[in-house]
Amino acid sequence: MSQDVEKQLLADVPDGLYIGGEWRAAADGGTLEVRDPATGGAVKRIASAGVADGTAALDAASEAFPDWASTPVRERAELLRRAFDLVQERKEDFALLMTIEMGKPLAEARGEVAYGGEFLRWFSEQAAHVQGRYGANPEGTGRMIVSQHPVGPCYLITPWNFPLAMATRKIAPALAAGCTVVVKPAALTPLTTLYFAKVLQDAGLPDGVVNVITTSSSGPVSEAIIADPRLRKLSFTGSTQVGKKLLEQAAGGVLRTSMELGGNAPFVVFDDADLGKAVDGAIAAKFRNIGQACTAANRFIVQAGVADEFARRVTERVKGFKTGRGTEEGVMIGPLIDDKAVSKAEELVRDAIDRGATLRAGGGPIDGPGSFYAATVLTDVRPGSDILSEEIFGPVVTIMAFEDEDEAVRLANDTEYGLVSYVYTESLARGQRMIEKLQTGMMGLNVGVVSNAAAPFGGWKLSGLGREGGAEGIHEYLQTKYTLTANPFG
Ligand code: NAD
């Protein structure tokens, strides 16, 4: 990838806040610097919003709301469809931008453009399918009308790990439902959202319908927006720790909330599984996004009879991975998002080894510039190791063995999270039993990646509230009104 292409692309990304259809500097002149995690070098300086800018963004969203809410559904849908087409036209730009600011390999970034773009098309199709009900009450004395209405101005907070998809997964259903929004991307990867705002502008988005604030003071800026009585909905994707704090703040205004939080996915392999498929699925479930996904397999729970062979095959694959900047050909392992993430992986792996785990591959940071951690495999991970209860968010496989199905279920459910679970078995009945027994919002049965715009994505337990995508996703941005009218026949 030529440096000139990267330079030109970065120059094309707006560096201001997008408020009321205008690009502007922060009121107090604040800025923040975005870095490339593969080199540690700065790539662009952009505006950093303060509390006043957050309020200005909510002013714009509130002002635009009545017109947008009453814009014909077909027009809203067509705008989303134009945005989808523009994302396809600029897919190489979006992919490269995500690789630069987030570090994922370019091939995966292209996959995210396809996945993230799809939310625009999916919700452009869903928009016209929101329906109500009309019917007589049981006594026959009246007529009941049930109708759906946009909830109002929304605040959307996204994480750094999927910079395009996490934004479109919220913006598209909100706009389809008739809501206006203020979007706050993560300070580590804000460029993709700014570039996407430009796409929306080019697609003909009316001023104020989408506002983007980038900031290095997420806490105070968000708190002021959430406390503002004009806000009606908060949608957050990020850690459970921050999500809990935001839920407390949202209680003040009794806001509608959607919370897509952390995960600790079990990946269960039974001895009747197709081991080749299970290994392929394991590599996808673990190493997609360099292990930095809420859906990443965190604990490999493998039946004793096949555990050694599974570990041997996974280790062989891992030892063949190429590590480097995501723009290099054939790279599987890019950098972690920052040095803090590297330290966390180091601590978790050290703790697991201290408690008796066996290191089969990798096992530490990689010297040189950038935040790299070697793809790692640990076997015989002991109960009580921190790595089994915390999100690893790095390229580390942890394998432990189990004897029978009851033990597999107990181990898989032994977590406060419940986002996704993976199960490999060739037995239909066993697969069905696992669907019924696992405490999880989503499940991959002989499949290592479950994300899809048409699926209701979301978790049980501490993994969150609400669903994004699918037929459910638009309802997160709608509220129900019931009206009783008289019997028109007297
Ligand atoms: P994070 O919670 O640190 O940050 C998420 C977002 O919240 C960022 O925009 C951040 O700037 C903002 N934020 C941080 N502190 C805040 C505060 N006090 N008030 C308001 N906003 C604040 O999470 P992260 O490190 O960006 O992302 C990784 C986490 O996200 C992981 O836990 C992962 O599992 C989770 N995640 C969940 C899903 C899902 O759909 N369930 C998807 C992707 C990531």
Side-chain angles (χ1 to χ4, degrees), residues 155-162 166 169-170 184-188 215 217-223 226 236-243 245-246 249 259-264 292-295 337 391 393 417 419 442 457-459 463-464 468:
Y155 186 37
L156 315 178
I157 304 179
T158 59
W160 52 263
N161 59 347
F162 292 98
M166 297 302 98
R169 201 164 78 170
K170 296 185 190 305
K184 193 206 76 60
L188 292 165
T215 180
S217 333
S218 286
V221 170
S222 300
E223 202 166 350
I226 295 167
F236 170 78
T237 298
S239 62
T240 296
Q241 190 194 5
V242 173
K245 232 192 268 180
L246 295 176
Q249 293 173 21
M259 293 278 146
E260 296 287 351
L261 308 178
N264 180 355
Q292 302 167 113
C294 52
T295 51
I337 189 66
E391 267 191 306
F393 249 58
Y417 295 103
L419 188 61
M442 301 180 285
F457 190 106
S463 289
E468 290 190 322

Side-chain angles (χ1 to χ4, degrees), residues 115-290:
Y115 171 54
E118 192 55 35
F119 288 103
L120 300 164
R121 179 158 63 177
W122 174 259
F123 284 109
S124 79
E125 293 162 348
Q126 292 289 305
H129 295 271
V130 173
Q131 290 178 346
R133 299 203 299 270
Y134 176 85
N137 64 356
E139 299 75 21
T141 54
R143 295 292 179 267
M144 304 169 80
I145 303 167
V146 180
S147 50
Q148 299 294 330
H149 306 265
V151 297
C154 305
Y155 186 37
L156 315 178
I157 304 179
T158 59
W160 52 263
N161 59 347
F162 292 98
L164 180 65
M166 297 302 98
T168 54
R169 201 164 78 170
K170 296 185 190 305
I171 295 171
L175 265 49
C179 295
T180 55
V181 304
V182 176
V183 188
K184 193 206 76 60
L188 292 165
T189 60
L191 303 182
T192 304
T193 309
L194 293 172
Y195 201 60
F196 179 61
K198 215 168 125 173
V199 159
L200 290 172
Q201 207 178 10
D202 293 349
L205 184 80
D207 295 348
V209 173
V210 173
N211 306 277
V212 180
I213 50 168
T214 49
T215 180
S216 54
S217 333
S218 286
V221 170
S222 300
E223 202 166 350
I225 293 175
I226 295 167
D228 192 309
R230 294 172 298 173
L231 188 75
R232 292 315 316 144
K233 158 103 195 178
L234 168 66
S235 177
F236 170 78
T237 298
S239 62
T240 296
Q241 190 194 5
V242 173
K244 283 182 184 176
K245 232 192 268 180
L246 295 176
L247 276 171
E248 280 177 24
Q249 293 173 21
V254 193
L255 296 182
R256 287 279 297 274
T257 56
S258 301
M259 293 278 146
E260 296 287 351
L261 308 178
N264 180 355
F267 189 108
V268 182
V269 183
F270 286 100
D271 60 10
D272 61 9
D274 177 324
L275 214 55
K277 280 190 202 156
V279 171
D280 287 346
I283 299 297
K286 178 73 250 182
F287 292 101
R288 176 167 167 257
N289 226 33
I290 320 141

Side-chain angles (χ1 to χ4, degrees), residues 13 43 77 97 101 126 173 212 242 269 296 343 351-352 376 383 410 440:
V13 176
V43 296
L97 199 51
E101 67 173 341
Q126 292 289 305
V212 180
V242 173
V269 183
S343 306
D351 172 76
T376 295
R410 187 181 56 71
T440 186

Side-chain angles (χ1 to χ4, degrees), residues 307 311 315 356-360 377-382 397-400:
T315 304
T358 306
L359 181 66
R360 304 278 288 263
V377 179
L378 296 170
T379 53
D380 308 311
V381 179
R382 305 282 190 239
V397 175
T398 63
I399 301 176
M400 55 189 161

